[in-house]
DNA sequence: GACGGTATCTTGGTAGAATG
DNA sequence: CATTCTACCAAGATACCGTC
């Protein structure tokens, strides 16, 4: 399969992209790098996974330098300043996935991937080959490419999670704190809920919960709560029986104008305009 | 009711201390 | 040594009032 690939492919997600949903694919690509081909030092605003199919190269992040070869991959998280370069004698051939979304960090964490632990190893097996084959055919899908792309991205993350050892070491209890906080948010978003209250429920100091939450999930508890509420509001918009005020109260905002302000900040348009565009 | 301005409250980032 | 907490302060969120 690898041999009949052209030197370089880039497929964009196309269609409507909403980076506030759980997982948002941006693009996928394949690159046979020329000798010494390099990137950076630079940062991106989204997650970026590379998987090396052939050859070798180096990847630098946070003063650490990793010598990588076929069968290995690396994660670049938003705002990570990194540098990577293909080998001079045996330059790498890699595929890459660019994506984002409020749940992205959680999925990556389940695969034990983050800025502190950006490297993974996975042999190029049938499962991965089939996935990459499907990614190549994404370019032929026009109307629903974003949906298919999201599905394939979930498949990649599933492969990486299954591939990880499963032991989360000291992160385990922290993960549980975050899971508990998220469960609480999912059950109580429709009430007036403060971060202090969530921290009390989890049994941690609010500042410490915020720190742990951000480390594990990539967003602060407040950001997560607000995004979750606004996504719920979007779902409620499809019910014509509910006024904007009804929806605001349904997701925990007593003041419809405050809801409108928050909605506009996150979605870029007022709730009314959003509903009209449905 | 929709919206804008503003005062007040809440939250998050950070550094460093306390605890086991 | 890792985990957890505390204090300070800036930034952002919220409540509330006035205007249209």
């Amino acid at each position: 399969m690898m041999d009949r690939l052209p030197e370089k492919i880039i497929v964009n997600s196309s269609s409507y992209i909403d980076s506030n949903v759980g997982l948002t694919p941006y693009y996928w690509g394949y690159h046979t790098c020329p000798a010494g081909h390099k990137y950076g030092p630079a940062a991106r605003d989204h997650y970026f996974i590379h998987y090396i199919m052939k050859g070798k190269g180096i990847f630098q992040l946070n003063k650490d330098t990793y010598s990588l070869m076929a069968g290995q991959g690396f994660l670049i998280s938003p705002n990570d300043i990194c540098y990577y370069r293909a080998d001079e004698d045996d330059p790498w051939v890699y595929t890459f996935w660019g994506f984002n979304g409020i749940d992205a960090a959680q999925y990556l964490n389940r695969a034990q991937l983050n800025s502190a632990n950006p490297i993974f190893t996975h042999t190029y097996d049938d499962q991965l080959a089939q996935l990459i084959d499907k990614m190549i055919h994404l370019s032929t899908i026009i109307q629903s490419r974003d949906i298919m792309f999201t599905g394939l991205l979930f498949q990649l993350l599933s492969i990486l999670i299954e591939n990880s050892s499963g032991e989360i070491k000291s992160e385990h209890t922290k993960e549980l704190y975050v899971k508990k906080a998220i469960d609480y948010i999912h059950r109580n978003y429709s009430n007036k809920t403060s971060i202090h209250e969530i921290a009390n429920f989890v049994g941690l100091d609010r500042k410490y919960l915020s720190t742990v939450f951000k480390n594990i999930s990539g967003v602060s508890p407040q950001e997560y709560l607000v995004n979750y509420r606004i996504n719920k509001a979007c779902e409620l918009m499809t019910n014509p029986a509910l006024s904007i005020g009804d929806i605001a109260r349904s997701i925990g905002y007593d003041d419809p104008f405050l809801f409108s302000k928050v909605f506009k900040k996150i979605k870029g348009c007022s709730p009314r305009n959003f509903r009209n565009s449905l």
Side-chain angles (χ1 to χ4, degrees):
Chain A
M1 196 273 307
M2 279 192 259
D3 296 328
R4 56 186 166 81
L5 280 173
E7 185 188 308
K8 195 170 185 176
I9 305 171
I10 293 188
V11 184
N12 287 299
S13 175
S14 82
S15 312
Y16 171 69
I17 288 187
D18 181 351
S19 58
N20 291 305
V21 299
L23 195 64
T24 308
Y26 281 11
Y27 51 83
W28 171 81
Y30 169 93
H31 193 194
T32 303
C33 296
H37 176 265
K38 63 189 179 187
Y39 172 83
R44 291 183 167 85
D45 67 352
H46 53 275
Y47 292 96
F48 200 22
I49 285 178
H50 287 70
Y51 176 73
I52 305 156
M53 299 165 78
K54 271 186 191 173
K56 51 191 181 181
I58 59 147
F59 171 63
Q60 287 179 343
L61 175 66
N62 299 333
K63 294 171 194 158
D64 291 319
T65 300
Y66 306 92
S67 292
L68 303 175
M69 52 188 279
Q72 289 185 297
F74 56 92
L75 168 73
I76 300 165
S77 297
N79 305 320
D80 274 353
I81 298 168
C82 67
Y83 169 82
Y84 48 96
R85 188 181 71 237
D87 192 74
E88 290 291 344
D89 301 321
D90 186 13
W92 52 23
V93 175
Y94 54 55
T95 63
F96 51 87
W97 286 261
F99 59 98
N100 219 335
I102 55 174
D103 291 335
Q106 284 180 68
Y107 293 126
L108 289 165
N109 199 61
R110 284 172 65 183
Q112 295 174 48
L113 288 172
N114 51 49
S115 295
N117 185 33
I119 309 300
F120 62 92
T121 300
H122 191 288
T123 44
Y124 187 74
D125 56 9
D126 286 351
Q127 201 181 21
L128 211 43
Q130 281 170 20
L131 175 64
I132 290 169
D133 212 33
K134 286 179 193 162
M135 298 302 308
I136 292 164
H137 289 101
L138 260 186
S139 58
T140 63
I141 298 173
I142 307 300
Q143 299 298 334
S144 62
R145 187 187 298 167
D146 54 332
I147 299 171
M148 177 69 87
F149 202 156
T150 304
L152 295 175
L153 185 53
F154 271 116
Q155 280 188 36
L156 170 73
L157 291 169
S158 166
I159 291 171
L160 294 178
I161 290 167
E162 290 302 319
N163 180 59
S164 65
S165 71
E167 265 181 60
I168 308 183
K169 307 175 200 101
S170 63
E171 293 294 309
H172 192 57
T173 48
K174 291 181 180 177
E175 273 218 330
L176 282 177
Y177 292 148
V178 174
K179 188 174 180 303
K180 228 174 154 183
I182 287 174
D183 284 347
Y184 189 86
I185 289 170
H186 289 185
R187 284 199 299 273
N188 294 282
Y189 71 92
S190 57
N191 307 316
K192 289 175 98 178
T193 305
S194 70
I195 302 306
H196 198 92
E197 206 177 298
I198 297 168
N200 277 344
F201 174 76
V202 176
L204 289 177
D205 175 76
R206 75 167 176 95
K207 307 301 279 299
Y208 184 56
L209 174 68
S210 293
T211 306
V212 169
F213 198 99
K214 179 120 195 193
N215 283 343
I216 300 287
S217 74
V219 294
S220 67
Q222 173 81 335
E223 264 179 285
Y224 186 91
L225 173 62
V226 170
N227 281 321
Y228 190 78
R229 278 178 164 155
I230 298 303
N231 282 325
K232 282 288 171 189
C234 291
E235 289 173 20
L236 294 173
M237 293 282 185
T238 57
N239 182 350
L242 294 170
S243 69
I244 299 299
D246 293 341
I247 293 171
R249 284 182 293 277
S250 301
I251 60 161
Y253 286 99
D254 283 344
D255 181 349
F257 183 56
L258 170 61
F259 163 65
S260 182
K261 272 199 243 188
V262 173
F263 191 97
K264 196 167 184 177
K265 189 183 166 196
I266 291 177
K267 292 292 177 185
C269 65
S270 67
R272 183 179 295 265
N273 287 339
F274 183 89
R275 174 175 257 174
N276 291 341
S277 70
L278 288 175

